[in-house]
Amino acid sequence: MAEVVEPVRAEEIRAIPVRHPGRWVAGAVVVVLMAALTKSIATNPRFEWGVIGHYFLTSRVLHGLVVTLELTVLSMAVGIALGTVLAVMRLSPNPLVSGASWVYIWLFRGTPVLVQILFWFNIAALYPRFSIGIPFGPQFVHFSAAAAITPFVAGVLALGLNEGAYMAEIVRAGIISVEEGQTEAAQSLGMTRLLTMRRIVLPQAMRVIIPPTGNETISMLKTSSLVSVIAVTELLYTAQLIYAVNYRTIPLLLVVSIWYLVMTTVLSVGQYYLERHFGRGATRDTPETPAQRLRRTFQLRHEWS
Amino acid sequence: MELMVKAEQVHKRFGRLAVLKGVSLEVAPGEVVCLIGPSGSGKSTFLRCINHLEKIDAGRLWVDGRLVGYRQVGDKLYEQRDSEICRDRAQIGMVFQRFNLFGHMTALENVVEAPIHVKKVPRREAAEQARVLLGRVGLGDKLDSYPAQLSGGQQQRVAIARALAMKPKLMLFDEPTSALDPELVGEVLDVMKGLALDFNTTMIVVTHEMGFAREAADRVLMMDDGRIIESGTPGHFFADPREERTRQFLSAIL
């Protein structure tokens, strides 16, 4: 017979915590520097906070904002779709198919996106007319490049095609990260290659694909300002047009910066929830949302008091 | 009676390494065969050849009278198309050493996945059947758990239910208990014994669990260096193995 072990009450530890004077000094330095910076921002009249407030919600700026968002969404959509196709091609057993994907990535990742933007803007100089049909055979639809490739379209094409090369590598890394056993299990159940990719591999690859894609989206939001060079009235070019007339350069650049910050912040929050969704099953517990964490913290406080 | 599995002089090479050097075997419907042998002897490779996860290089392999991986027309062999390979594989269940449950799906979703998407079984019917199967392997209360929330033994039992959901003619087990904590081996073996004894499932099991072999197997095959070197009832292997290599191996694992 084993003895019944009485739980022994152990004495709780009450020790004097280690002091950290260094942390206090560093904290003080930060506070002083922040105060100096805040004072300069608040009191330097050349920031012209009034002008910033005036332009922040004008219809022209808001229109530029919408164009920036359109550029970002469309370019990312092109990039993600193209990147997925390129990644699957890259993993194809057919050397011509995987080679074509490699060449695409080499070309579009190897040249500056600004050059690509200018290139697409001037595509009419290279191919004045486009047509759709059978290669070397009859063509069905013709259209003129100058009419079809507006600056906005050129911007989306350049950003999207360039993004496709980066997304291809991201998607490929995601696909490779899924254990081979998953594919084998799916195959042993009679699932085709395509079904396995769609139902088993890609959903699990998402966990690896989402975080860098979020970064790419945030990066795209900012990179889209490059199309200001081809006169697309997105956020930055709109501001440039305004300050070209009234010379309020700094306040308008600040308006633009604040808007970019707002948008990237919103995107970061969205990314957090996406990651949470696709991380299901990967960890034992789904991580709490910040709101849940806050509520729990307050509940704990409440219990303690 | 039609054989469930028939192998004639099956050879398999990986590059220059010959893994199977002429394996011949006949398994009747309802029979339970255990494959034992040292690691590297080709047991797992042979099992993977049976559902065409590996292509064989020489010999012939039939499952339920159908050639694996090829179509024979006259004396010409044609490679099967992907869709044909998939159709044949759907009738062979496989359980892996590392479970390989789909990590982004709950236990129930794992089990209904192939019936719904491969066999086109209506969702509700598939779910009903999956509940029965998961109940049978003792996991009726874990339907909504993700694999990461289950122990190894529980995961392997879900994997067995997932394979059974396709109503396979043949079940292949590739070292189903080798990745498990010793305490959890029993629960998986119990499920497998149930399949063998109560449901008369045709099974080929690569295993070192001689206790399982003794209770459930009709036949035990000893593989070494890419060949089957000895075959007999479990009793034969326990009482009086013929080959010296078999004796050595058994004394090492028992």
Side-chain angles (χ1 to χ4, degrees):
Chain A
M1 264 291 283
E3 274 177 67
V4 178
V5 183
E6 283 283 327
V8 183
R9 280 190 69 89
E11 193 191 344
E12 267 189 56
I13 291 180
R14 288 178 198 282
I16 294 144
V18 177
R19 307 288 177 206
H20 296 282
R23 291 185 192 173
W24 285 97
V25 174
V29 170
V30 169
V31 168
V32 169
L33 286 177
M34 289 301 292
L37 188 65
T38 312
K39 177 175 177 280
S40 120
I41 290 173
T43 56
N44 184 345
R46 281 174 240 187
F47 274 103
E48 298 190 81
W49 289 102
V51 178
I52 293 174
H54 171 73
Y55 278 105
F56 199 69
L57 291 171
T58 53
S59 62
R60 278 181 85 186
V61 168
L62 290 180
H63 177 261
L65 188 69
V66 170
V67 174
T68 289
L69 285 173
E70 283 172 354
L71 274 170
T72 308
V73 169
L74 290 174
S75 307
M76 280 311 291
V78 171
I80 290 171
L82 190 64
T84 309
V85 172
L86 285 168
V88 174
M89 283 172 66
R90 190 92 170 77
L91 296 167
S92 157
N94 183 334
L96 276 177
V97 172
S98 75
S101 171
W102 185 89
V103 168
Y104 181 95
I105 294 169
W106 170 76
L107 187 66
F108 281 83
R109 214 169 52 165
T111 52
V113 67
L114 184 54
V115 174
Q116 291 175 32
I117 290 170
L118 293 169
F119 191 86
W120 283 103
F121 182 62
N122 292 297
I123 194 71
L126 190 60
Y127 289 105
R129 295 178 63 75
F130 282 101
S131 52
I132 297 172
I134 300 159
F136 307 111
Q139 306 295 310
F140 308 123
V141 190
H142 303 266
F143 47 89
S144 116
I149 313 284
T150 62
F152 182 82
V153 173
V156 169
L157 273 177
L159 293 173
L161 296 184
N162 179 70
E163 186 58 33
Y166 287 90
M167 283 307 302
E169 292 295 284
I170 290 172
V171 174
R172 187 169 74 99
I175 291 174
I176 297 175
S177 78
V178 178
E179 254 190 289
E180 207 178 344
Q182 296 285 308
T183 311
E184 285 189 351
Q187 284 179 336
S188 78
L189 289 164
M191 295 172 79
T192 59
R193 262 173 61 94
L194 196 70
L195 190 62
T196 304
M197 187 54 84
R198 189 166 64 78
R199 295 282 312 167
I200 307 300
V201 177
L202 281 179
Q204 296 189 79
M206 281 302 181
R207 203 163 49 83
V208 175
I209 293 172
I210 294 282
T213 305
N215 285 344
E216 289 293 310
T217 310
I218 288 170
S219 169
M220 175 65 80
L221 189 76
K222 297 174 294 168
T223 309
S224 71
S225 63
L226 284 180
V227 302
S228 58
V229 298
I230 55 171
V232 176
T233 51
E234 43 70 67
L235 193 52
L236 176 59
Y237 190 59
T238 306
Q240 286 175 329
L241 288 178
I242 299 173
Y243 69 63
V245 176
N246 65 10
Y247 302 107
R248 310 275 206 199
T249 309
I250 293 293
L252 277 155
L253 286 178
L254 280 170
V255 166
V256 168
S257 305
I258 294 169
W259 269 123
Y260 277 116
L261 271 174
V262 169
M263 289 188 291
T264 51
T265 307
V266 170
L267 282 179
S268 307
V269 172
Q271 181 183 1
Y272 175 84
Y273 281 93
L274 262 181
E275 278 177 30
R276 190 167 172 272
H277 173 75
F278 281 102
R280 75 192 191 284
T283 49
R284 276 156 197 261
D285 300 301
T286 311
E288 295 172 313
T289 63
Q292 285 170 342
R293 200 180 312 153
L294 206 66
R295 218 174 301 136
R296 190 171 52 88
T297 312
F298 278 112
Q299 265 170 5
L300 278 180
R301 289 274 155 73
H302 191 69
E303 279 165 21
W304 280 348
S305 59
Chain B
M1 189 165 58
E2 186 86 67
L3 288 170
M4 185 53 78
V5 178
K6 183 172 159 135
E8 266 181 18
Q9 287 299 315
V10 169
H11 287 70
K12 171 71 189 171
R13 282 186 306 274
F14 288 118
R16 235 179 278 159
L17 179 74
V19 182
L20 299 178
K21 303 172 179 172
V23 175
S24 297
L25 168 71
E26 293 185 349
V27 179
E31 208 180 359
V32 176
V33 175
C34 280
L35 273 177
I36 62 171
S39 60
S41 61
K43 309 169 304 246
S44 290
T45 305
F46 179 60
L47 207 64
R48 292 161 60 82
C49 288
I50 295 176
N51 70 353
H52 207 49
L53 282 179
E54 305 288 354
K55 257 186 185 169
I56 63 175
D57 295 313
R60 290 283 191 279
L61 190 52
W62 292 266
V63 171
D64 201 21
R66 284 243 279 275
L67 210 52
V68 173
Y70 302 92
R71 238 172 322 126
Q72 188 155 17
V73 182
D75 55 355
K76 266 193 182 155
L77 277 189
Y78 294 87
E79 273 189 2
Q80 276 185 327
R81 273 191 294 266
D82 276 351
S83 59
E84 294 170 308
I85 294 173
C86 288
R87 182 200 58 204
D88 288 352
R89 271 190 194 137
Q91 307 187 331
I92 304 173
M94 183 147 186
V95 174
F96 299 85
Q97 184 178 356
R98 304 276 338 159
F99 330 133
N100 296 349
L101 286 184
F102 304 136
H104 59 309
M105 297 180 178
T106 63
L108 188 74
E109 287 167 346
N110 263 281
V111 178
V112 298
E113 178 65 19
I116 290 176
H117 292 280
V118 177
K119 270 184 149 181
K120 312 290 178 203
V121 175
R123 186 170 287 274
R124 179 182 287 184
E125 197 182 308
E128 195 43 53
Q129 185 209 1
R131 281 197 192 90
V132 172
L133 281 170
L134 284 168
R136 205 162 100 196
V137 298
L139 292 172
D141 56 338
K142 298 285 183 194
L143 302 181
D144 297 322
S145 300
Y146 285 99
Q149 298 165 326
L150 298 172
S151 73
Q154 292 171 330
Q155 288 189 54
Q156 194 61 300
R157 285 184 282 152
V158 175
I160 293 173
R162 177 176 69 177
L164 290 176
M166 292 299 279
K167 304 203 170 85
K169 296 189 282 201
L170 168 68
M171 284 286 286
L172 308 173
F173 292 84
D174 187 5
E175 304 205 27
T177 56
S178 325
L180 294 177
D181 288 342
E183 286 187 304
L184 304 177
V185 169
E187 61 189 58
V188 172
L189 290 181
D190 284 342
V191 168
M192 290 168 58
K193 273 177 218 158
L195 284 179
L197 303 174
D198 306 338
F199 289 89
N200 226 2
T201 316
T202 314
M203 292 165 52
I204 302 179
V205 186
V206 171
T207 187
H208 293 151
E209 294 294 334
M210 294 309 288
F212 172 79
R214 193 203 317 243
E215 283 182 59
D218 297 301
R219 220 162 11 124
V220 177
L221 304 172
M222 167 78 189
M223 277 188 81
D224 186 38
D225 194 26
R227 290 186 191 87
I228 294 174
I229 58 166
E230 187 161 1
S231 155
T233 61
H236 162 80
F237 272 83
F238 281 106
D240 182 28
R242 190 182 64 234
E243 299 285 329
E244 182 51 36
R245 184 74 186 91
T246 312
R247 280 172 212 238
Q248 256 177 23
F249 178 73
L250 286 174
S251 69
I253 63 163
L254 284 178

